[in-house]
Amino acid sequence: MTRQALLFIWGQWCEASDRGVREIRSPHDGSLIASVPEATLTDALAAIESARFSFDAGLFTSWSYSERAKLVGRIADLLERDAEMIAISESHDTGKRIVEARFDLTDVIAVFRYYAELGANLNGRNVDVGRNEIKSEIVYEPVGVASLIGPWNYPLLQASWKVAPALVAGCSFILKPSELTPSSAIHLIRILDEAGVPKGVANLILGSGAVVGFPLTSDPRVDMVSFTGGLATGKTIMGAAAQTVKKIALELGGKNPNIIFADADLAAAIDNAVTAGFLHSGQVCSAGTRLLVEREIHDQVVSAIVERARAIRLGGPNDQEAQTGPLISQAHRAKVETYIASAIAEGAKLRAGGGRPSEENLRDGWYLEPTVLDECKTEMNCVQDESFGPVITVETFDTEAEAIQLGNDTIYGLSGAVWTSDHDRAQRVARALRHGTIWINDYGPYRPEAEWGGFKASGTGRELGPSGLFEYLEAKHIWTNLNPAKSGWFPETSVGEKP
Ligand code: NAP
């Protein structure tokens, strides 16, 4: 097998220290896409040292915010230049259609442009303490060395939410993409190097989270961990980071209620419900896979969604007719199938899908039919857990209060939607739902300028928007007395002297 130098440490491309490699295989047909180095513990420690050294030596922190913002703008230009190449490689890694990968790249570039602009205008602030001789300033400084760990569903997009603000802030970092989808991160690091990020600031570790995850999240030389992934991994990371009280930002899973009231524009609500549940075969943290429908429109809505689900055409990255793709891996498909089987065993009614497609050209991939499970109960695993597959579960409600109660009856709190033509009700429900993003009469849009993140077990901290930059900054208060004076707090008598 060809060995390639695709780890990036101390500003150099290198192989894994034990020369180990991992095969990256297509979720569409199992074909070999690439062989990449599989980093060892030694490599992870070297990457941490490289980031620490570059930070402590001030290689990047000596730049002004506007200089770093300009660099981030240059990175956006280079991403634009290479967008098609990166979209192709990401569609092969993830199995998603090339059109979807192109949308993702457009969003990635927008994120870099947004943080370039925000960084150019970043200022500290002065606090008026009401005394002319006092200058009280708040300045923002980089947190330090950050481990940036991402998932496989939107590999470069999730990385961009971390890398762009980390660069503007002046952090040094170690980027670790999912072991399943490394290609776009490799390309991003090439671009950072070309754009002029100082050596040692950006480091890339490829490999298994089980091996390199612990040093990246526990080593005392790491100041911060920004993680996007599943809840179980998030809890492990919280524990590892706690030992040295690292700053953490966690973007975890979601079980997102999509609530349709009888007075909604049903054509729009049904169409968006199909997209919310089956886009990227449900492998979306904000997927609207938990459908809550008012009882009087239940039959109409569910029948329409079932019909649409059955008509969805599955296919690989280059299939022009395909509407969605495979699941990421054999293991992941097996997990989703277990959720479907357990829901049926618990009494859910299978109305669409539930099995693997029979087409010859899909047999070698990890495909699963878009599935609709009706008559679900809130306590079912498939309703409560994030199956992260193309599975819409349907529950029914009778009142607004019940819709809110069901929408909040989850440990997660990432996103949700409410469909109604009653503006006041829309506002009431949106305010009452404890999720980080609520869409009213829409599903899915997000903006680089608007904060993204979860309540409850969906995480801690926020990405995107100004908060997404402040995650990588420490606020420091500098108090200057321009006219030094005695404090006068304790009397100036010597020991033994009477006051
Ligand atoms: P995952 O299994 O938790 O893995 C995420 C990343 O963590 C991968 O790079 C993984 O490496 C690494 N990792 C695994 N064990 C680790 C450890 N002990 N210490 C440090 N890192 C470790 O999640 P996933 O299956 O890739 O992604 C799907 C999940 O991401 C879903 O739950 C989804 O909801 C969530 N997600 C959330 C958002 C959001 O904005 N809230 C966005 C996208 C995705 P390996 O790949 O090598 O195991």
XYZ file of all heavy atoms in Angstrom, residues 32-109:
601
model
N -11.817 1.447 -2.708
C -10.746 2.160 -1.995
C -10.627 3.577 -2.561
O -10.456 3.761 -3.754
C -9.424 1.396 -2.177
C -8.225 1.967 -1.433
C -8.422 1.891 0.073
C -6.951 1.225 -1.850
N -10.720 4.562 -1.672
C -10.616 5.964 -2.114
C -9.201 6.479 -1.882
O -8.624 7.178 -2.697
C -11.582 6.863 -1.311
C -13.013 6.442 -1.542
C -11.383 8.318 -1.672
C -13.993 7.160 -0.632
N -8.643 6.131 -0.742
C -7.327 6.677 -0.383
C -6.723 5.847 0.747
O -7.438 5.111 1.443
C -7.481 8.126 0.089
N -5.406 5.968 0.884
C -4.728 5.429 2.064
C -4.090 6.607 2.772
O -3.369 7.382 2.135
C -3.631 4.452 1.656
O -4.195 3.390 0.959
N -4.371 6.761 4.029
C -3.845 7.926 4.760
C -3.117 7.436 6.012
O -3.400 6.338 6.510
C -4.981 8.907 5.159
C -5.709 9.438 3.951
C -5.947 8.260 6.133
N -2.180 8.226 6.520
C -1.478 7.801 7.734
C -2.437 7.678 8.909
O -3.376 8.472 9.024
C -0.480 8.930 8.005
C -0.533 9.827 6.848
C -1.765 9.554 6.070
N -2.190 6.709 9.735
C -2.985 6.508 10.955
C -2.103 6.966 12.118
O -1.139 6.278 12.491
C -3.338 5.018 11.077
C -4.099 4.647 12.312
C -5.582 5.009 12.244
O -6.013 5.667 11.280
O -6.294 4.648 13.180
N -2.395 8.131 12.650
C -1.511 8.728 13.656
C -1.448 7.879 14.928
O -2.420 7.221 15.305
C -1.991 10.133 13.998
N -0.314 7.930 15.570
C -0.103 7.225 16.829
C -0.170 8.237 17.975
O -0.213 9.456 17.754
C 1.288 6.579 16.847
O 2.241 7.655 16.738
C 1.467 5.602 15.696
N -0.082 7.698 19.179
C -0.008 8.546 20.361
C 1.201 9.491 20.247
O 1.121 10.686 20.556
C 0.125 7.645 21.588
C 0.267 8.305 22.929
C -1.001 9.062 23.293
C 0.542 7.246 24.000
N 2.322 8.948 19.768
C 3.544 9.758 19.603
C 3.279 10.932 18.667
O 3.725 12.064 18.921
C 4.679 8.876 19.012
O 4.790 7.719 19.824
C 5.995 9.603 18.915
N 2.548 10.681 17.576
C 2.254 11.762 16.627
C 1.372 12.824 17.287
O 1.574 14.025 17.078
C 1.528 11.200 15.395
C 2.385 10.192 14.643
O 3.589 10.422 14.521
O 1.819 9.168 14.208
N 0.379 12.360 18.058
C -0.519 13.322 18.716
C 0.283 14.208 19.673
O 0.093 15.429 19.718
C -1.623 12.583 19.464
N 1.195 13.593 20.417
C 1.996 14.379 21.376
C 2.903 15.359 20.645
O 3.104 16.498 21.088
C 2.814 13.433 22.271
C 1.968 12.543 23.204
C 2.854 11.542 23.948
C 1.156 13.378 24.195
N 3.437 14.928 19.485
C 4.294 15.823 18.695
C 3.479 17.012 18.185
O 3.956 18.162 18.186
C 4.920 15.059 17.533
N 2.245 16.744 17.758
C 1.401 17.829 17.243
C 1.063 18.820 18.361
O 1.039 20.045 18.146
C 0.120 17.248 16.641
N 0.829 18.290 19.556
C 0.545 19.171 20.701
C 1.766 20.038 20.994
O 1.661 21.252 21.215
C 0.143 18.340 21.943
C -1.201 17.642 21.705
C 0.091 19.211 23.198
C -1.561 16.579 22.746
N 2.951 19.428 20.963
C 4.181 20.174 21.246
C 4.389 21.274 20.192
O 4.778 22.393 20.514
C 5.386 19.213 21.283
C 6.719 19.844 21.643
C 6.692 20.628 22.970
O 5.860 20.320 23.837
O 7.510 21.570 23.102
N 4.123 20.922 18.939
C 4.284 21.897 17.856
C 3.352 23.097 18.078
O 3.771 24.263 17.965
C 3.964 21.192 16.532
O 3.639 22.120 15.542
N 2.095 22.794 18.408
C 1.130 23.880 18.630
C 1.536 24.720 19.844
O 1.510 25.953 19.817
C -0.270 23.293 18.830
N 1.944 24.034 20.912
C 2.337 24.746 22.141
C 3.518 25.665 21.879
O 3.542 26.824 22.296
C 2.689 23.710 23.216
C 2.942 24.239 24.610
C 1.651 24.605 25.303
N 1.460 26.022 25.422
C 0.307 26.594 25.768
N -0.768 25.881 26.011
N 0.200 27.889 25.851
N 4.530 25.116 21.169
C 5.734 25.906 20.917
C 5.379 27.153 20.096
O 5.797 28.267 20.417
C 6.792 25.072 20.177
C 8.005 25.891 19.834
C 9.020 26.077 20.776
C 8.116 26.523 18.603
C 10.121 26.877 20.478
C 9.214 27.326 18.302
C 10.214 27.488 19.244
N 4.608 26.946 19.025
C 4.288 28.090 18.154
C 3.509 29.153 18.940
O 3.712 30.353 18.735
C 3.495 27.646 16.929
O 2.202 27.231 17.311
N 2.642 28.691 19.852
C 1.851 29.657 20.622
C 2.749 30.413 21.598
O 2.737 31.645 21.651
C 0.714 28.965 21.376
C -0.212 29.945 22.018
C -1.212 30.559 21.285
C -0.059 30.310 23.353
C -2.049 31.515 21.854
C -0.889 31.255 23.931
C -1.884 31.857 23.176
N 3.536 29.651 22.351
C 4.364 30.298 23.384
C 5.434 31.196 22.774
O 5.854 32.178 23.387
C 5.005 29.229 24.282
C 3.965 28.525 25.139
O 2.836 29.058 25.259
O 4.255 27.434 25.665
N 5.873 30.842 21.556
C 6.892 31.671 20.893
C 6.270 32.919 20.270
O 6.980 33.761 19.721
C 7.605 30.837 19.818
N 4.946 33.006 20.305
C 4.266 34.203 19.787
C 4.289 34.311 18.270
O 4.161 35.406 17.712
N 4.446 33.142 17.581
C 4.576 33.195 16.125
C 3.336 33.777 15.445
O 3.418 34.330 14.356
C 4.842 31.788 15.562
C 6.102 31.083 16.075
C 6.308 29.756 15.343
C 7.334 31.975 15.919
N 2.202 33.628 16.081
C 0.952 34.089 15.475
C 0.287 35.152 16.346
O -0.367 36.058 15.848
C 0.037 32.872 15.329
C -1.056 33.012 14.306
C -0.889 33.774 13.156
C -2.265 32.348 14.482
C -1.905 33.872 12.208
C -3.283 32.437 13.543
C -3.097 33.200 12.411
N 0.498 35.017 17.654
C -0.143 35.976 18.561
C 0.456 37.372 18.395
O -0.147 38.362 18.778
C 0.021 35.534 20.028
O 1.390 35.223 20.247
C -0.807 34.321 20.349
N 1.658 37.432 17.782
C 2.271 38.742 17.573
C 1.589 39.494 16.415
O 1.800 40.686 16.245
C 3.765 38.575 17.271
O 3.926 37.699 16.175
N 0.799 38.790 15.638
C 0.058 39.462 14.559
C -1.117 40.243 15.175
O -1.662 39.833 16.199
C -0.534 38.454 13.590
C 0.426 37.628 12.790
C 1.686 37.221 13.127
C 0.168 37.069 11.497
N 2.224 36.440 12.147
C 1.312 36.331 11.126
C -0.905 37.097 10.616
C 1.408 35.643 9.911
C -0.820 36.415 9.419
C 0.331 35.714 9.070
N -1.521 41.307 14.490
C -2.710 42.033 14.967
C -3.966 41.279 14.503
O -3.903 40.430 13.602
C -2.734 43.452 14.405
O -2.937 43.378 13.005
N -5.102 41.629 15.116
C -6.359 41.006 14.675
C -6.594 41.252 13.197
O -7.041 40.370 12.464
C -7.546 41.510 15.498
C -7.608 40.802 16.803
C -7.218 41.425 17.977
C -7.983 39.466 16.851
C -7.221 40.748 19.175
C -7.992 38.773 18.039
C -7.603 39.425 19.198
O -7.591 38.738 20.369
N -6.307 42.454 12.736
C -6.618 42.742 11.335
C -5.674 41.965 10.410
O -6.092 41.546 9.325
C -6.621 44.236 11.050
O -5.363 44.749 11.308
N -4.441 41.728 10.846
C -3.540 40.909 10.005
C -4.059 39.475 9.912
O -4.069 38.864 8.846
C -2.123 40.905 10.600
C -1.370 42.194 10.360
C -0.063 42.275 11.159
O 0.018 41.705 12.275
O 0.864 42.922 10.662
N -4.502 38.958 11.050
C -5.008 37.572 11.020
C -6.313 37.500 10.237
O -6.578 36.534 9.527
C -5.177 37.039 12.446
C -3.847 36.769 13.139
C -4.024 35.864 14.348
N -4.797 36.485 15.389
C -4.291 37.118 16.452
N -2.978 37.192 16.615
N -5.081 37.660 17.346
N -7.129 38.540 10.364
C -8.402 38.554 9.620
C -8.127 38.560 8.117
O -8.802 37.881 7.340
C -9.217 39.769 10.022
N -7.106 39.323 7.711
C -6.742 39.361 6.287
C -6.322 37.978 5.807
O -6.674 37.537 4.719
C -5.571 40.339 6.102
C -5.847 41.393 5.059
C -4.663 42.289 4.870
C -5.042 43.697 5.257
N -3.955 44.581 5.487
N -5.567 37.285 6.650
C -5.126 35.920 6.320
C -6.338 34.995 6.142
O -6.393 34.194 5.204
C -4.225 35.397 7.449
C -3.790 33.946 7.333
C -2.609 33.814 6.384
C -3.389 33.388 8.691
N -7.302 35.142 7.014
C -8.501 34.295 6.931
C -9.282 34.616 5.646
O -9.826 33.718 4.995
C -9.359 34.451 8.211
C -10.719 33.800 8.073
C -8.608 33.837 9.394
N -9.268 35.870 5.242
C -9.886 36.246 3.963
C -9.161 35.592 2.795
O -9.786 35.129 1.829
N -7.816 35.555 2.895
C -7.015 34.917 1.828
C -7.355 33.418 1.763
O -7.436 32.836 0.690
C -5.529 35.117 2.157
C -4.637 35.057 0.958
C -3.383 35.915 1.107
N -2.552 35.581 2.265
C -2.175 36.446 3.173
N -2.557 37.702 3.098
N -1.416 36.080 4.197
N -7.541 32.815 2.924
C -7.900 31.382 2.956
C -9.243 31.177 2.246
O -9.413 30.218 1.482
C -7.946 30.891 4.420
C -6.533 30.898 4.998
C -8.555 29.497 4.520
C -6.470 30.779 6.518
N -10.178 32.094 2.463
C -11.485 31.996 1.774
C -11.279 32.040 0.258
O -11.904 31.277 -0.485
C -12.405 33.120 2.237
N -10.375 32.924 -0.209
C -10.105 33.003 -1.661
C -9.563 31.678 -2.185
O -9.949 31.212 -3.255
C -9.065 34.096 -1.954
C -9.587 35.486 -1.632
O -10.821 35.647 -1.540
O -8.750 36.399 -1.457
N -8.636 31.089 -1.435
C -8.019 29.829 -1.891
C -9.036 28.688 -1.860
O -9.032 27.805 -2.719
C -6.801 29.491 -1.028
C -5.643 30.493 -1.136
C -4.526 30.166 -0.149
C -5.087 30.528 -2.556
N -9.926 28.727 -0.863
C -10.984 27.710 -0.812
C -11.895 27.843 -2.028
O -12.330 26.854 -2.613
C -11.808 27.859 0.472
C -11.153 27.305 1.745
C -11.854 27.854 2.981
C -11.196 25.772 1.757
N -12.148 29.085 -2.400
C -12.987 29.322 -3.580
C -12.300 28.758 -4.823
O -12.935 28.096 -5.646
C -13.207 30.824 -3.730
C -14.527 31.187 -4.342
C -14.949 32.573 -3.873
O -14.245 33.553 -4.188
O -15.960 32.654 -3.159
N -11.000 28.988 -4.918
C -10.236 28.476 -6.071
C -10.336 26.947 -6.163
O -10.488 26.388 -7.233
C -8.766 28.908 -5.900
C -7.846 28.442 -7.018
C -6.391 28.587 -6.608
N -6.024 27.630 -5.564
C -4.872 27.637 -4.894
N -3.973 28.570 -5.147
N -4.625 26.716 -3.970
N -10.250 26.259 -4.995
C -10.169 24.790 -4.992
C -11.511 24.122 -4.667
O -11.552 22.916 -4.421
C -9.143 24.339 -3.937
C -7.736 24.771 -4.303
O -7.541 25.291 -5.417
O -6.824 24.594 -3.472
N -12.584 24.913 -4.642
C -13.858 24.393 -4.124
C -14.309 23.115 -4.829
O -14.720 22.152 -4.173
C -14.939 25.465 -4.231
N -14.208 23.091 -6.152
C -14.730 21.926 -6.877
C -13.930 20.664 -6.519
O -14.503 19.605 -6.262
C -14.687 22.200 -8.389
C -15.259 21.091 -9.253
C -16.766 20.835 -9.019
O -17.437 21.626 -8.328
O -17.251 19.794 -9.524
N -12.607 20.822 -6.447
C -11.742 19.678 -6.112
C -12.078 19.142 -4.708
O -12.182 17.935 -4.486
C -10.292 20.179 -6.125
C -9.256 19.124 -6.431
S -7.596 19.759 -6.119
C -7.572 21.347 -6.873
N -12.272 20.060 -3.777
C -12.566 19.636 -2.399
C -13.958 19.006 -2.325
O -14.153 17.985 -1.655
C -12.480 20.822 -1.414
C -11.107 21.486 -1.494
C -12.744 20.357 0.015
C -10.980 22.763 -0.679
N -14.908 19.589 -3.050
C -16.281 19.036 -3.028
C -16.266 17.604 -3.562
O -16.932 16.725 -3.009
C -17.217 19.919 -3.852
N -15.491 17.360 -4.607
C -15.433 16.000 -5.177
C -14.868 15.039 -4.134
O -15.432 13.974 -3.881
C -14.592 15.985 -6.475
C -15.345 16.718 -7.583
C -14.259 14.551 -6.902
C -14.545 16.988 -8.841
N -13.765 15.430 -3.503
C -13.155 14.492 -2.540
C -14.076 14.281 -1.336
O -14.209 13.169 -0.829
C -11.765 14.961 -2.111
O -11.874 16.089 -1.298
N -14.774 15.339 -0.930
C -15.653 15.163 0.229
C -16.879 14.306 -0.133
O -17.360 13.518 0.690
C -16.087 16.516 0.797
C -16.725 16.332 2.145
C -16.591 17.519 3.082
O -15.481 17.796 3.559
O -17.609 18.174 3.337
N -17.349 14.417 -1.362
C -18.502 13.590 -1.748
C -18.088 12.119 -1.808
O -18.881 11.239 -1.482
C -19.114 14.063 -3.071
O -18.278 13.741 -4.147
N -16.838 11.858 -2.191
C -16.382 10.453 -2.182
C -16.253 9.921 -0.759
O -16.680 8.804 -0.459
C -15.046 10.330 -2.922
C -15.214 10.436 -4.407
N -16.035 9.599 -5.109
C -14.712 11.295 -5.315
C -16.028 9.933 -6.390
N -15.234 10.973 -6.541
N -15.672 10.720 0.129
C -15.490 10.275 1.530
C -16.819 9.999 2.216
O -16.971 9.017 2.936
C -14.782 11.378 2.345
C -13.270 11.297 2.250
O -12.768 10.528 1.415
O -12.599 12.024 3.008
N -17.779 10.920 2.018
C -19.029 10.833 2.780
C -20.111 10.046 2.042
O -21.091 9.645 2.665
C -19.613 12.247 3.034
O -19.810 12.869 1.754
C -18.696 13.097 3.883
N -19.966 9.903 0.725
C -20.994 9.245 -0.079
C -22.107 10.200 -0.481
O -23.045 9.814 -1.158
N -21.998 11.482 -0.056
C -23.090 12.410 -0.396
C -22.975 12.844 -1.857
O -21.908 12.766 -2.467
C -23.134 13.607 0.543
C -22.000 14.574 0.425
C -22.207 15.803 1.317
C -22.185 15.515 2.802
N -22.097 16.719 3.640
N -24.085 13.301 -2.403
C -24.094 13.721 -3.799
C -23.194 14.945 -3.972
O -23.105 15.792 -3.075
C -25.513 14.066 -4.238
C -26.453 12.884 -4.151
C -27.859 13.315 -4.450
N -28.264 14.459 -3.658
C -29.026 15.456 -4.094
N -29.483 15.456 -5.313
N -29.356 16.451 -3.301
N -22.581 15.029 -5.158
C -21.665 16.141 -5.408
C -22.377 17.491 -5.263
O -21.792 18.449 -4.750
C -20.983 15.994 -6.796
C -20.027 17.144 -7.085
C -21.978 15.838 -7.918
C -18.794 17.151 -6.243
N -23.655 17.554 -5.637
C -24.366 18.835 -5.507
C -24.437 19.268 -4.041
O -24.310 20.451 -3.726
C -25.794 18.800 -6.093
C -25.780 18.843 -7.594
C -26.578 17.616 -5.593
N -24.614 18.298 -3.145
C -24.677 18.648 -1.720
C -23.307 19.095 -1.221
O -23.182 20.035 -0.435
C -25.179 17.455 -0.902
C -26.633 17.159 -1.150
C -27.152 16.003 -0.302
O -26.786 15.875 0.870
O -27.938 15.199 -0.854
N -22.265 18.384 -1.692
C -20.906 18.763 -1.273
C -20.577 20.178 -1.766
O -19.896 20.946 -1.081
C -19.902 17.749 -1.805
N -21.093 20.534 -2.953
C -20.849 21.901 -3.461
C -21.548 22.936 -2.569
O -20.972 23.981 -2.266
C -21.376 22.034 -4.899
C -20.485 21.342 -5.905
C -20.942 21.658 -7.337
N -20.204 20.833 -8.257
C -20.752 20.002 -9.154
N -22.065 19.920 -9.276
N -20.000 19.282 -9.945
N -22.768 22.628 -2.146
C -23.466 23.546 -1.211
C -22.631 23.726 0.056
O -22.477 24.819 0.579
C -24.833 22.981 -0.807
C -25.932 23.259 -1.789
C -26.686 22.234 -2.314
C -26.220 24.562 -2.171
C -27.707 22.482 -3.216
C -27.248 24.826 -3.078
C -27.991 23.771 -3.600
N -22.098 22.603 0.546
C -21.308 22.664 1.790
C -20.101 23.584 1.609
O -19.765 24.373 2.492
C -20.819 21.265 2.199
C -21.958 20.330 2.567
O -23.099 20.808 2.693
O -21.710 19.123 2.723
N -19.445 23.461 0.437
C -18.254 24.293 0.197
C -18.609 25.774 0.142
O -17.864 26.619 0.651
C -17.569 23.848 -1.108
C -16.318 22.977 -0.922
C -15.180 23.766 -0.288
C -16.597 21.754 -0.040
N -19.760 26.076 -0.434
C -20.202 27.478 -0.461
C -20.354 27.986 0.969
O -19.942 29.108 1.306
C -21.569 27.583 -1.194
O -21.401 27.003 -2.471
C -22.035 29.005 -1.328
N -20.907 27.147 1.830
C -21.092 27.539 3.234
C -19.743 27.678 3.947
O -19.549 28.581 4.758
C -21.947 26.493 3.974
C -23.409 26.564 3.545
O -23.749 27.424 2.721
O -24.213 25.743 4.043
N -18.822 26.778 3.637
C -17.491 26.839 4.263
C -16.832 28.185 3.938
O -16.292 28.868 4.821
C -16.601 25.676 3.740
C -15.138 25.901 4.116
C -17.105 24.327 4.258
N -16.895 28.568 2.680
C -16.255 29.827 2.250
C -16.932 31.010 2.962
O -16.261 31.932 3.433
C -16.329 29.955 0.707
C -15.471 28.864 0.068
C -15.880 31.345 0.245
C -15.806 28.551 -1.374
